[in-house]
Amino acid sequence: MQIFTTGRSFWSEREINNAERKKMELVFHQCDVGKKGYLSREDLKIAVVMLFGYKPSKSETNILMENGADCPGVPLELFVSLMEKKMSAEDPYEKTRQIFSAFDVHCRGFLKLDDFKSAFKRVAPRLPKRTVLEAFREGSIWRVASHSPHASGPLLKKLVPLPLPQA
C-alpha cells in the first residue's frame, strides 16, 4: 500500500472493487466506437470524462496512449489497468471538498444555514424548505479545520448537527 500526500492531507492507495471494474468495462464498451476492441485517442478522452468528470490534458492523453504500443489505441485490459491505477490514487476527499466549496460561497471555511439554503435554491428550487432544514441538521456538514503548522489530523472535520430553527 502506498501513501500519498498533498499539503497536510494524507491518504493511502485504495483497492478497486468489482463494481468499479465493471463500470470501467462498461465505459470502455460504450466508448469503443465501431467495436474495434480498443479506444482511439478521442474515445479515451470521452471515457476519462465519463469516469472522472474531466477532460484529460493533451499530455495526460499522450501518456495513456503510449502504454498501448502494439495497438493503434488502448485495449480493454490495458484501459482497466490504467483506470484502476488512476482511480486508486484519487484523493478520497476531493469530491467532498468540491461540494463543500460550492456551498461555501463566502470562503469562510464553514457553512451557515443561509449558505445551505442558497445552494439548494439554485439546484433544487422546488424542494420543500423543511427538507433543506432537515438535510442541514441531519447531514454531514463539513468545515475546513484550521490547523497550526504543527497540528496533525485530517484536513476536514465533521460538525455536530445543529438544532432546527423553530418555524
Side-chain angles (χ1 to χ4, degrees):
M1 181 187 307
Q2 295 177 326
I3 303 293
F4 301 91
T5 66
T6 138
R8 290 186 210 128
S9 166
F10 292 88
W11 74 93
S12 59
E13 191 173 292
R14 68 180 181 85
E15 293 293 320
I16 302 301
N17 63 37
N18 285 334
E20 290 168 320
R21 278 188 195 87
K22 292 286 183 200
K23 181 179 180 184
M24 290 175 206
E25 290 174 10
L26 178 64
V27 166
F28 177 91
H29 292 298
Q30 288 174 336
C31 294
D32 182 12
V33 177
K35 305 300 176 213
K36 308 173 293 291
Y38 63 86
L39 297 181
S40 67
R41 181 178 200 81
E42 292 306 312
D43 298 340
L44 182 61
K45 288 179 188 178
I46 293 168
V48 171
V49 169
M50 289 174 72
L51 288 171
F52 299 98
Y54 75 94
K55 182 180 174 186
S57 67
K58 184 180 265 187
S59 61
E60 182 179 359
T61 306
N62 288 341
I63 291 167
L64 294 171
M65 291 298 292
E66 286 171 4
N67 287 299
D70 336 349
C71 186
V74 179
L76 175 61
E77 297 78 24
L78 180 59
F79 174 76
V80 170
S81 172
L82 291 168
M83 296 303 110
E84 280 180 350
K85 289 176 188 170
K86 188 171 180 55
M87 195 173 279
S88 69
E90 265 188 327
D91 179 356
Y93 296 110
E94 184 60 29
K95 287 184 176 138
T96 302
R97 277 195 284 277
Q98 288 175 353
I99 293 167
F100 177 86
S101 294
F103 279 67
D104 187 21
V105 293
H106 300 291
C107 302
R108 291 185 286 237
F110 60 91
L111 298 177
K112 289 186 172 184
L113 180 57
D114 290 339
D115 299 328
F116 207 71
K117 285 180 180 177
S118 173
F120 273 91
K121 187 175 182 180
R122 283 180 278 160
V123 298
R126 295 188 178 149
L127 194 65
K129 290 179 183 180
R130 181 76 182 171
T131 304
V132 175
L133 290 173
E134 288 171 1
F136 183 77
R137 181 175 176 262
E138 297 294 329
S140 296
I141 309 302
W142 296 83
R143 70 174 172 88
V144 177
S146 55
H147 292 290
S148 72
H150 305 291
S152 61
L155 179 64
L156 299 174
K157 286 189 175 178
K158 200 172 185 179
L159 285 178
V160 176
L162 301 174
L164 281 175
Q166 298 301 317

